Amino acid sequence: MTERIPCVNEGCDHKILPATAAKTGGYCMPCKQEMEREAYQRYIEANRRDVDLYEGITDAVQVLKIMHEPRIRDPLIRYIPYKYSMEQVYLTLSVEQQCEMKQYAMERIRSDDEDTGKDILLYLVCYHDLPLTVEIPELLEREILYPSVLFKSASVETRDHLLHQVNHDEENRNLILMMLAYIGDNVVVQQFWRWKQTPPTWASEMYVAPERYALQAGWELTRNGQRQELFITPSYSLYEVKDGNGEGSVKGKPVSLLEPTSKHCPWCGGTLFSLMNVHARHPALQSVNWKSSQLDVQTCLLCSCYGVVYMEMDGEGDPFWSEHNVKPDGLDNMDIEEIEVAGLDSGNLDDSAEVQRQQRLFHIASEPRQPFHGSEWAMEPSLSQVGGHPGWVQDAEYPACPSCSTTMKAIGQLDGEMIQEYGEGMYYLFVCEPCQMTAVSYQQS
């Protein structure tokens, strides 16, 4: 057997064959590869150049086209990001520019770049409520059936086609039902009502009843078959002010978010937080019948990650822990000190609560935005908001009021990243107006 010799790299205890040593200069393969990697990294750092694809370009449409163009990965190139986010650029588009971007999106779809084209259409629909009535038949012809929100402006002819197709297209029935829910006109509402009274033959093949698909579009059927909205409008962005600057060019006023209270969670003992405390007469809450002057939504940030947490209001309008709360299964067996959910840990939330309160400043936008602006969380828009369609990470889950069984209405949401650095997921805020009760739930990918 050939005798092995030690690697010449100081501190390495590997031994190698003489033939390998002759090829590598006496180094073992791991050391040789690490040396080559370090040399390559030094070469990259010495030769990398900055590339500004936006230099000299001021037209928002051209900027967005560049943003949507896939980047060629080259370690020797460092792309300089644009001074504004994609969301901010989209919000500057004029009506003419929106139409130009819509045409560009359809061109991308026709050139087999379906993903980019759909993304552009999604931004236009969510940020500007741009109708796609003319484009929808072509999308259907190309079997583009998702995201469902793209189809909310479908024509009567398209609606009737989908109502017919849903009875025969088993493969796409789930998507068609969601598309119909987003269309949601009187004809669709009546059809959903008929399905509820007399389920179609294919209903048994679905995971939920056909009329339950309405929840995905933010509405439900009342007891007498009418459409009832499950989220409030208009929508106002919530954002943190850092270094004296707000979120881009957004103008707003101070708002109370994420304030620690003096109360503690009966389940885990952690501090209860006021996620949002907004004056009940704020324009975002104009459709909410609230008896006290402030709408204060409190919860346990940790326990609401495991189940819905309800709060009731006393005679002064102050929240208190509801007797209807049911501790989630398994919570008793968890070590609360070790719990970490969505980047949150109980120690940080309690010990630094006062520091966080003093250092952080939040604003609510002065101007409303489109109701569906924050509805597609995967677009990575500014998700925290009062009002607007929820950005469900998973399926739509509107809690039922534990007192009267009414479906609670969504009044806002807070992005996990707003709550704590590197936080994940979304906290959803709800109210039951007849019972003057709030609820908080949570979802993450």
Side-chain angles (χ1 to χ4, degrees):
M1 180 178 293
T2 304
E3 183 179 354
R4 292 175 176 267
I5 59 177
C7 172
V8 298
N9 190 20
E10 184 178 353
C12 179
D13 57 1
H14 289 170
K15 292 187 176 182
I16 57 176
L17 294 171
T20 301
K23 295 178 182 179
T24 64
Y27 294 95
C28 68
M29 289 308 297
C31 287
K32 181 66 174 179
Q33 291 170 350
E34 179 62 19
M35 291 168 60
E36 292 175 348
R37 189 196 67 78
E38 291 177 353
Y40 182 57
Q41 188 61 36
R42 288 193 297 270
Y43 172 79
I44 290 175
E45 292 174 357
N47 294 276
R48 181 180 288 162
R49 59 192 178 91
D50 292 337
V51 174
D52 186 358
L53 298 174
Y54 308 99
E55 185 176 3
I57 298 177
T58 58
D59 180 68
V61 170
Q62 296 305 316
V63 169
L64 288 172
K65 288 181 179 180
I66 295 172
M67 285 182 166
H68 282 291
E69 196 67 31
R71 298 281 185 271
I72 299 174
R73 179 168 175 76
D74 186 337
L76 295 179
I77 295 179
R78 179 168 46 223
Y79 292 103
I80 299 175
Y82 192 60
K83 58 184 177 180
Y84 299 119
S85 69
M86 184 178 288
E87 176 187 19
Q88 291 168 333
V89 178
Y90 263 103
L91 291 176
T92 68
L93 296 179
S94 66
V95 174
E96 293 76 12
Q97 289 173 321
Q98 293 170 37
C99 293
E100 188 176 349
M101 284 302 298
K102 180 171 67 171
Q103 181 179 352
Y104 177 68
M106 296 306 296
E107 291 172 359
R108 297 300 292 259
I109 290 173
R110 293 166 190 145
S111 62
D112 295 327
D113 187 3
E114 180 180 305
D115 290 339
T116 299
K118 287 197 303 182
D119 286 346
I120 295 171
L121 293 178
L122 190 59
Y123 283 109
L124 293 172
V125 169
C126 290
Y127 292 165
H128 292 285
D129 199 25
L130 188 69
L132 303 180
T133 310
V134 175
E135 291 73 25
I136 286 173
E138 182 174 348
L139 296 180
L140 293 175
E141 184 179 346
R142 294 178 178 275
E143 298 184 349
I144 297 176
L145 309 179
Y146 190 84
S148 306
V149 69
L150 298 179
F151 299 87
K152 68 187 187 73
S153 59
S155 66
V156 170
E157 292 76 17
T158 298
R159 177 205 66 200
D160 292 344
H161 168 74
L162 293 173
L163 285 171
H164 173 76
Q165 185 180 359
V166 73
N167 291 310
H168 307 284
D169 191 344
E170 180 180 352
E171 180 181 357
N172 296 309
R173 184 170 289 136
N174 181 64
L175 294 175
I176 295 172
L177 285 169
M178 285 195 289
M179 293 156 64
L180 287 169
Y182 273 100
I183 294 172
D185 62 10
N186 289 334
V187 173
V188 171
V189 171
Q190 292 171 14
Q191 181 60 72
F192 276 34
W193 178 243
R194 286 194 291 269
W195 282 334
K196 183 175 183 178
Q197 294 177 309
T198 307
T201 55
W202 44 262
S204 60
E205 303 169 8
M206 312 301 294
Y207 288 108
V208 298
E211 70 275 5
R212 297 290 293 174
Y213 279 82
L215 298 176
Q216 293 296 131
W219 59 278
E220 68 173 354
L221 291 172
T222 62
R223 294 181 179 178
N224 59 354
Q226 302 299 309
R227 171 173 172 151
Q228 178 169 281
E229 305 300 327
L230 293 178
F231 64 94
I232 64 172
T233 57
S235 168
Y236 287 81
S237 173
L238 298 171
Y239 59 95
E240 184 171 4
V241 178
K242 297 181 179 180
D243 300 324
N245 294 317
E247 187 176 87
S249 59
V250 175
K251 296 180 180 180
K253 298 179 179 179
V255 65
S256 176
L257 302 179
L258 300 172
E259 292 279 356
T261 73
S262 60
K263 293 173 284 188
H264 292 82
C265 175
W267 293 341
C268 72
T271 300
L272 294 183
F273 276 72
S274 173
L275 293 190
M276 181 184 77
N277 191 339
V278 180
H279 198 285
R281 292 185 180 178
H282 188 279
L285 304 176
Q286 61 185 3
S287 62
V288 178
N289 181 16
W290 205 247
K291 295 179 181 178
S292 59
S293 61
Q294 295 289 130
L295 203 170
D296 186 3
V297 183
Q298 297 184 8
T299 195
C300 172
L301 288 172
L302 292 175
C303 294
S304 56
C305 292
Y306 294 92
V308 181
V309 171
Y310 300 94
M311 301 290 285
E312 299 180 44
M313 303 295 148
D314 63 19
E316 302 298 323
D318 294 325
F320 65 92
W321 187 267
S322 174
E323 62 180 10
H324 295 287
N325 281 320
V326 178
K327 184 182 290 189
D329 293 337
L331 197 59
D332 281 331
N333 300 323
M334 296 180 184
D335 185 350
I336 299 300
E337 296 300 322
E338 299 297 327
I339 287 180
E340 290 191 11
V341 179
L344 307 174
D345 70 84
S346 56
N348 283 347
L349 287 173
D350 285 337
D351 297 342
S352 62
E354 183 63 22
V355 175
Q356 292 180 23
R357 186 190 70 79
Q358 293 175 354
Q359 293 181 345
R360 305 186 71 184
L361 177 63
F362 300 98
H363 274 194
I364 183 170
S366 299
E367 298 296 328
R369 61 188 192 177
Q370 293 296 332
F372 287 87
H373 185 112
S375 64
E376 298 291 328
W377 71 275
M379 290 167 48
E380 299 185 353
S382 51
L383 289 163
S384 297
Q385 62 185 23
V386 181
H389 187 283
W392 300 109
V393 179
Q394 302 169 18
D395 290 336
E397 293 183 5
Y398 293 86
C401 174
S403 180
C404 69
S405 299
T406 300
T407 304
M408 301 184 79
K409 188 177 296 183
I411 60 165
Q413 61 188 26
L414 290 181
D415 190 352
E417 287 189 355
M418 173 177 279
I419 293 173
Q420 191 163 313
E421 188 176 9
Y422 307 122
E424 300 174 359
M426 191 83 66
Y427 286 85
Y428 305 95
L429 287 59
F430 307 89
V431 296
C432 174
E433 295 161 285
C435 299
Q436 297 289 285
M437 184 178 294
T438 67
V440 175
S441 67
Y442 173 85
Q443 290 183 358
Q444 73 177 83
S445 57

Coordinates of all heavy atoms in Angstrom, one line a residue, residues 193-256:
W193 N -75.8 31.4 -4.3 CA -76.9 31.2 -3.5 C -77.6 29.9 -3.8 O -78.0 29.1 -3.0 CB -77.8 32.4 -3.5 CG -79.1 32.2 -2.6 CD1 -80.4 32.3 -3.1 CD2 -79.1 32.1 -1.2 NE1 -81.2 32.1 -2.0 CE2 -80.5 32.0 -0.9 CE3 -78.2 32.0 -0.2 CZ2 -80.9 31.9 0.5 CZ3 -78.6 31.9 1.1 CH2 -80.0 31.8 1.4
R194 N -77.8 29.7 -5.1 CA -78.5 28.5 -5.6 C -77.7 27.3 -5.3 O -78.2 26.2 -4.9 CB -78.8 28.6 -7.1 CG -79.9 29.5 -7.5 CD -80.4 29.3 -8.9 NE -79.4 29.8 -9.8 CZ -79.3 31.0 -10.3 NH1 -80.2 31.9 -10.0 NH2 -78.4 31.3 -11.2
W195 N -76.4 27.4 -5.4 CA -75.5 26.2 -5.1 C -75.6 25.9 -3.6 O -75.5 24.8 -3.2 CB -74.1 26.5 -5.5 CG -73.8 26.4 -7.0 CD1 -74.5 25.6 -7.8 CD2 -72.8 27.0 -7.7 NE1 -73.9 25.7 -9.1 CE2 -72.9 26.6 -9.1 CE3 -71.8 28.0 -7.4 CZ2 -72.0 27.0 -10.1 CZ3 -70.9 28.4 -8.4 CH2 -71.1 27.9 -9.7
K196 N -75.7 27.0 -2.8 CA -75.8 26.7 -1.4 C -77.1 26.0 -1.0 O -77.1 25.1 -0.1 CB -75.7 28.1 -0.6 CG -75.7 27.9 0.9 CD -75.5 29.2 1.6 CE -75.5 29.0 3.1 NZ -75.2 30.3 3.9
Q197 N -78.2 26.4 -1.7 CA -79.5 25.8 -1.4 C -79.5 24.4 -2.0 O -80.1 23.4 -1.3 CB -80.6 26.6 -1.9 CG -80.7 28.0 -1.2 CD -81.8 28.8 -1.8 OE1 -81.8 29.0 -3.0 NE2 -82.7 29.3 -1.0
T198 N -79.0 24.2 -3.2 CA -79.0 22.9 -3.9 C -77.7 22.7 -4.4 O -77.3 23.1 -5.5 CB -80.1 22.9 -5.0 OG1 -81.3 23.3 -4.5 CG2 -80.2 21.5 -5.6
P199 N -76.8 22.0 -3.7 CA -75.4 21.8 -4.1 C -75.4 21.0 -5.5 O -76.1 20.1 -5.7 CB -74.8 20.9 -3.0 CG -75.6 21.2 -1.8 CD -77.0 21.5 -2.3
P200 N -74.5 21.5 -6.4 CA -74.4 20.8 -7.7 C -73.7 19.4 -7.5 O -73.2 19.1 -6.4 CB -73.4 21.7 -8.5 CG -72.6 22.4 -7.4 CD -73.6 22.6 -6.3
T201 N -73.9 18.5 -8.5 CA -73.4 17.1 -8.3 C -71.9 17.1 -8.0 O -71.4 16.2 -7.4 CB -73.7 16.4 -9.6 OG1 -73.1 17.1 -10.7 CG2 -75.2 16.2 -9.8
W202 N -71.1 18.1 -8.5 CA -69.7 18.1 -8.4 C -69.2 18.7 -7.0 O -68.0 18.6 -6.7 CB -69.0 18.8 -9.5 CG -69.6 20.1 -9.9 CD1 -70.5 20.4 -10.9 CD2 -69.4 21.4 -9.2 NE1 -70.8 21.7 -11.0 CE2 -70.2 22.3 -10.0 CE3 -68.7 21.8 -8.1 CZ2 -70.3 23.7 -9.6 CZ3 -68.8 23.2 -7.8 CH2 -69.5 24.1 -8.5
A203 N -70.2 19.2 -6.2 CA -69.8 19.8 -5.0 C -69.1 18.9 -4.0 O -68.2 19.3 -3.2 CB -71.0 20.4 -4.3
S204 N -69.5 17.6 -4.0 CA -68.9 16.6 -3.1 C -67.4 16.4 -3.4 O -66.7 15.8 -2.6 CB -69.7 15.3 -3.2 OG -69.6 14.8 -4.5
E205 N -67.0 16.8 -4.6 CA -65.6 16.6 -5.0 C -64.7 17.7 -4.5 O -63.4 17.6 -4.6 CB -65.5 16.5 -6.5 CG -66.3 15.3 -7.1 CD -66.4 15.4 -8.6 OE1 -65.7 16.3 -9.2 OE2 -67.2 14.6 -9.2
M206 N -65.3 18.8 -4.0 CA -64.5 20.0 -3.6 C -64.2 19.9 -2.1 O -64.9 19.2 -1.3 CB -65.3 21.3 -3.9 CG -65.9 21.4 -5.3 SD -64.7 21.3 -6.6 CE -63.8 22.8 -6.3
Y207 N -63.1 20.6 -1.7 CA -62.7 20.6 -0.3 C -63.7 21.4 0.5 O -63.9 21.2 1.7 CB -61.3 21.1 -0.1 CG -60.2 20.1 -0.6 CD1 -59.5 20.4 -1.8 CD2 -60.0 19.0 0.1 CE1 -58.6 19.4 -2.2 CE2 -59.0 18.1 -0.3 CZ -58.3 18.3 -1.5 OH -57.4 17.4 -1.9
V208 N -64.2 22.5 -0.1 CA -65.2 23.3 0.6 C -66.4 23.5 -0.3 O -66.3 23.3 -1.5 CB -64.6 24.7 1.0 CG1 -63.5 24.5 1.9 CG2 -64.2 25.5 -0.3
A209 N -67.5 24.0 0.3 CA -68.7 24.2 -0.5 C -68.5 25.3 -1.6 O -67.7 26.2 -1.3 CB -69.9 24.6 0.4
P210 N -69.1 25.3 -2.7 CA -68.9 26.3 -3.8 C -69.0 27.7 -3.3 O -68.2 28.6 -3.6 CB -69.9 25.9 -4.8 CG -70.2 24.5 -4.6 CD -70.1 24.2 -3.2
E211 N -70.0 28.0 -2.5 CA -70.3 29.4 -2.0 C -69.2 29.9 -1.1 O -69.0 31.1 -0.9 CB -71.6 29.5 -1.4 CG -71.7 28.9 0.0 CD -72.1 27.4 -0.1 OE1 -72.2 26.8 -1.2 OE2 -72.3 26.8 1.0
R212 N -68.4 29.0 -0.5 CA -67.3 29.4 0.4 C -66.1 30.0 -0.4 O -65.3 30.7 0.2 CB -66.8 28.2 1.2 CG -67.8 27.5 2.1 CD -68.1 28.4 3.3 NE -66.9 28.6 4.2 CZ -66.9 29.4 5.2 NH1 -68.0 30.2 5.4 NH2 -65.9 29.5 6.0
Y213 N -66.1 29.8 -1.7 CA -65.0 30.5 -2.5 C -65.2 32.0 -2.5 O -64.2 32.7 -2.8 CB -65.1 29.9 -3.9 CG -64.4 28.6 -4.1 CD1 -65.1 27.4 -3.8 CD2 -63.1 28.5 -4.5 CE1 -64.5 26.2 -3.9 CE2 -62.5 27.3 -4.7 CZ -63.1 26.1 -4.3 OH -62.5 24.9 -4.5
A214 N -66.3 32.5 -2.1 CA -66.5 33.9 -2.1 C -65.6 34.6 -1.0 O -65.2 35.7 -1.2 CB -68.0 34.2 -1.7
L215 N -65.2 33.8 0.0 CA -64.3 34.3 1.0 C -63.0 34.8 0.4 O -62.4 35.7 0.9 CB -64.1 33.3 2.1 CG -65.3 32.8 2.9 CD1 -64.9 31.7 3.9 CD2 -65.9 34.0 3.6
Q216 N -62.5 34.0 -0.6 CA -61.2 34.4 -1.2 C -61.3 35.8 -1.8 O -60.2 36.5 -1.9 CB -60.8 33.4 -2.3 CG -60.5 32.0 -1.8 CD -59.3 31.9 -0.9 OE1 -59.3 31.4 0.2 NE2 -58.2 32.6 -1.3
A217 N -62.4 36.2 -2.3 CA -62.6 37.5 -2.9 C -63.1 38.6 -1.9 O -63.3 39.7 -2.2 CB -63.6 37.4 -4.1
G218 N -63.2 38.2 -0.6 CA -63.5 39.1 0.4 C -65.0 39.4 0.7 O -65.4 40.5 1.1
W219 N -65.9 38.4 0.4 CA -67.3 38.6 0.6 C -67.9 37.2 1.0 O -67.3 36.2 0.8 CB -68.0 39.2 -0.5 CG -68.0 38.5 -1.8 CD1 -67.0 38.5 -2.7 CD2 -69.0 37.6 -2.4 NE1 -67.3 37.7 -3.8 CE2 -68.5 37.2 -3.6 CE3 -70.2 37.2 -1.9 CZ2 -69.2 36.3 -4.4 CZ3 -71.0 36.3 -2.7 CH2 -70.5 35.9 -4.0
E220 N -69.2 37.3 1.5 CA -69.9 36.0 1.8 C -71.4 36.3 1.5 O -71.8 37.4 1.3 CB -69.7 35.6 3.2 CG -70.3 36.6 4.2 CD -70.2 36.0 5.7 OE1 -69.8 34.9 5.9 OE2 -70.7 36.8 6.6
L221 N -72.1 35.2 1.5 CA -73.6 35.3 1.4 C -74.2 35.5 2.7 O -73.8 34.9 3.7 CB -74.1 34.0 0.8 CG -73.8 33.7 -0.7 CD1 -74.2 32.3 -1.1 CD2 -74.4 34.7 -1.6
T222 N -75.2 36.4 2.8 CA -76.0 36.6 4.0 C -77.0 35.5 4.1 O -77.1 34.6 3.2 CB -76.7 37.9 4.0 OG1 -77.6 38.0 2.9 CG2 -75.7 39.1 3.8
R223 N -77.8 35.5 5.2 CA -78.8 34.4 5.4 C -79.9 34.5 4.3 O -80.6 33.4 4.1 CB -79.4 34.6 6.8 CG -78.4 34.3 7.9 CD -79.0 34.4 9.3 NE -78.1 34.1 10.3 CZ -78.4 34.2 11.6 NH1 -79.6 34.5 12.0 NH2 -77.4 33.9 12.5
N224 N -80.1 35.6 3.7 CA -81.1 35.7 2.7 C -80.5 35.8 1.3 O -81.1 36.2 0.3 CB -82.0 36.9 2.9 CG -81.3 38.2 2.9 OD1 -80.0 38.2 2.9 ND2 -82.0 39.3 3.0
G225 N -79.2 35.4 1.1 CA -78.6 35.3 -0.2 C -78.1 36.5 -0.8 O -77.9 36.6 -2.0
Q226 N -77.8 37.5 0.0 CA -77.2 38.8 -0.5 C -75.7 38.8 -0.3 O -75.2 38.0 0.5 CB -77.8 40.0 0.2 CG -79.3 40.1 0.1 CD -79.8 40.2 -1.4 OE1 -79.3 41.1 -2.1 NE2 -80.7 39.4 -1.8
R227 N -75.0 39.6 -1.0 CA -73.6 39.7 -0.9 C -73.2 40.6 0.3 O -73.8 41.7 0.4 CB -72.9 40.3 -2.2 CG -71.5 40.6 -2.0 CD -70.8 41.0 -3.3 NE -69.5 41.5 -3.1 CZ -68.5 41.4 -4.0 NH1 -68.7 40.8 -5.1 NH2 -67.3 41.9 -3.7
Q228 N -72.3 40.2 1.2 CA -71.9 41.0 2.3 C -70.4 41.1 2.3 O -69.7 40.1 2.3 CB -72.4 40.4 3.6 CG -71.9 41.1 4.8 CD -72.6 40.6 6.1 OE1 -73.7 41.0 6.4 NE2 -71.9 39.8 6.8
E229 N -69.8 42.3 2.3 CA -68.4 42.5 2.2 C -67.8 42.1 3.6 O -68.3 42.4 4.6 CB -68.1 44.0 1.9 CG -68.7 44.5 0.6 CD -68.3 43.7 -0.6 OE1 -67.1 43.2 -0.6 OE2 -69.1 43.6 -1.5
L230 N -66.6 41.6 3.5 CA -65.8 41.1 4.7 C -64.6 41.9 4.9 O -63.8 41.5 5.8 CB -65.5 39.6 4.5 CG -66.7 38.7 4.6 CD1 -66.3 37.2 4.4 CD2 -67.5 38.8 5.9
F231 N -64.3 43.0 4.2 CA -63.2 43.9 4.5 C -63.7 45.3 4.3 O -64.6 45.5 3.5 CB -62.0 43.5 3.7 CG -62.1 43.7 2.2 CD1 -61.8 44.9 1.6 CD2 -62.6 42.7 1.4 CE1 -61.9 45.1 0.2 CE2 -62.8 42.9 0.0 CZ -62.4 44.1 -0.6
I232 N -63.1 46.2 5.0 CA -63.5 47.6 4.9 C -62.7 48.4 3.9 O -61.5 48.0 3.6 CB -63.4 48.3 6.3 CG1 -62.0 48.4 6.8 CG2 -64.3 47.6 7.3 CD1 -61.8 49.2 8.0
T233 N -63.2 49.4 3.3 CA -62.5 50.3 2.4 C -62.9 51.7 2.9 O -63.9 52.0 3.5 CB -63.0 50.1 1.0 OG1 -64.4 50.3 0.9 CG2 -62.6 48.7 0.5
P234 N -62.0 52.7 2.5 CA -60.8 52.6 1.7 C -59.6 52.0 2.5 O -59.8 51.7 3.7 CB -60.5 54.0 1.3 CG -61.0 54.8 2.4 CD -62.3 54.1 2.9
S235 N -58.5 51.8 1.9 CA -57.3 51.3 2.5 C -56.2 52.3 2.7 O -56.0 53.2 1.8 CB -56.7 50.1 1.6 OG -55.4 49.7 2.0
Y236 N -55.6 52.4 3.8 CA -54.5 53.3 4.1 C -53.3 52.6 4.5 O -53.3 51.7 5.4 CB -54.9 54.3 5.2 CG -56.0 55.3 4.8 CD1 -57.3 55.0 4.7 CD2 -55.6 56.6 4.4 CE1 -58.3 55.9 4.3 CE2 -56.5 57.5 4.0 CZ -57.9 57.2 4.0 OH -58.8 58.1 3.6
S237 N -52.2 52.9 3.9 CA -50.9 52.3 4.3 C -50.4 52.7 5.7 O -50.6 53.8 6.1 CB -49.8 52.7 3.2 OG -48.6 52.2 3.6
L238 N -49.8 51.7 6.4 CA -49.2 51.9 7.6 C -47.7 51.7 7.4 O -47.3 50.7 6.8 CB -49.7 50.9 8.7 CG -51.2 51.0 9.0 CD1 -51.6 49.9 9.9 CD2 -51.5 52.3 9.7
Y239 N -46.8 52.6 7.9 CA -45.4 52.4 7.7 C -44.6 53.1 8.9 O -45.1 53.9 9.6 CB -45.0 53.1 6.4 CG -45.3 54.6 6.3 CD1 -44.4 55.5 6.6 CD2 -46.6 55.0 5.9 CE1 -44.7 56.9 6.5 CE2 -46.9 56.3 5.8 CZ -45.9 57.3 6.1 OH -46.2 58.6 6.0
E240 N -43.4 52.6 9.0 CA -42.5 53.2 10.0 C -41.7 54.3 9.5 O -41.2 54.3 8.3 CB -41.6 52.1 10.5 CG -40.7 52.5 11.7 CD -39.9 51.4 12.3 OE1 -40.0 50.2 11.8 OE2 -39.3 51.6 13.3
V241 N -41.5 55.3 10.3 CA -40.7 56.5 9.9 C -39.3 56.3 10.5 O -39.2 56.1 11.7 CB -41.3 57.8 10.5 CG1 -40.4 59.0 10.1 CG2 -42.7 58.0 9.9
K242 N -38.3 56.3 9.6 CA -36.9 56.1 10.0 C -36.1 57.3 9.6 O -36.2 57.7 8.4 CB -36.4 54.8 9.4 CG -37.1 53.5 9.9 CD -36.5 52.3 9.3 CE -37.3 51.0 9.7 NZ -36.7 49.8 9.1
D243 N -35.3 57.7 10.5 CA -34.3 58.8 10.2 C -35.1 60.0 9.6 O -34.6 60.8 8.8 CB -33.2 58.4 9.2 CG -32.4 57.3 9.7 OD1 -32.2 57.2 11.0 OD2 -32.0 56.4 8.9
G244 N -36.3 60.2 10.2 CA -37.0 61.4 9.7 C -37.7 61.3 8.4 O -38.4 62.2 7.9
N245 N -37.6 60.1 7.8 CA -38.2 59.9 6.4 C -39.3 58.8 6.5 O -39.1 57.8 7.2 CB -37.2 59.5 5.4 CG -36.2 60.6 5.2 OD1 -36.6 61.8 5.1 ND2 -34.9 60.3 5.1
G246 N -40.3 59.0 5.7 CA -41.4 58.0 5.7 C -41.1 57.1 4.5 O -40.0 57.0 4.0
E247 N -42.1 56.3 4.2 CA -42.0 55.3 3.1 C -42.0 55.9 1.8 O -43.1 56.2 1.2 CB -43.2 54.3 3.3 CG -43.1 53.1 2.4 CD -44.2 52.1 2.7 OE1 -45.3 52.3 2.1 OE2 -44.0 51.2 3.6
G248 N -40.9 56.2 1.2 CA -40.8 56.8 -0.1 C -41.3 58.2 0.0 O -41.0 59.0 0.9
S249 N -42.3 58.5 -0.9 CA -42.8 59.9 -0.9 C -44.2 59.9 -0.2 O -44.9 60.9 -0.3 CB -43.0 60.3 -2.4 OG -43.8 59.4 -3.1
V250 N -44.5 58.9 0.5 CA -45.8 58.8 1.2 C -45.9 59.8 2.3 O -45.0 60.0 3.1 CB -46.1 57.4 1.8 CG1 -47.3 57.4 2.6 CG2 -46.1 56.4 0.7
K251 N -47.0 60.6 2.4 CA -47.2 61.5 3.4 C -48.2 61.0 4.4 O -49.2 60.4 4.0 CB -47.7 62.9 2.8 CG -46.7 63.5 1.9 CD -47.2 64.8 1.4 CE -46.2 65.5 0.5 NZ -46.7 66.8 -0.1
G252 N -48.0 61.2 5.7 CA -48.9 60.7 6.6 C -48.8 61.4 8.0 O -48.1 62.4 8.2
K253 N -49.6 60.8 8.9 CA -49.7 61.3 10.3 C -49.4 60.2 11.3 O -49.5 59.1 11.0 CB -51.1 61.9 10.5 CG -51.5 63.1 9.6 CD -52.9 63.6 9.9 CE -53.2 64.7 9.0 NZ -54.6 65.2 9.3
P254 N -48.9 60.6 12.4 CA -48.5 59.6 13.5 C -49.7 58.7 13.8 O -50.9 59.2 13.8 CB -48.1 60.5 14.7 CG -47.6 61.7 14.1 CD -48.5 62.0 12.9
V255 N -49.4 57.5 14.0 CA -50.5 56.5 14.4 C -49.9 55.6 15.5 O -48.7 55.3 15.5 CB -51.0 55.7 13.2 CG1 -49.9 54.8 12.6 CG2 -52.2 54.9 13.6
S256 N -50.7 55.1 16.4 CA -50.2 54.2 17.5 C -50.3 52.8 17.0 O -51.3 52.2 16.8 CB -51.1 54.4 18.7 OG -50.7 53.6 19.7

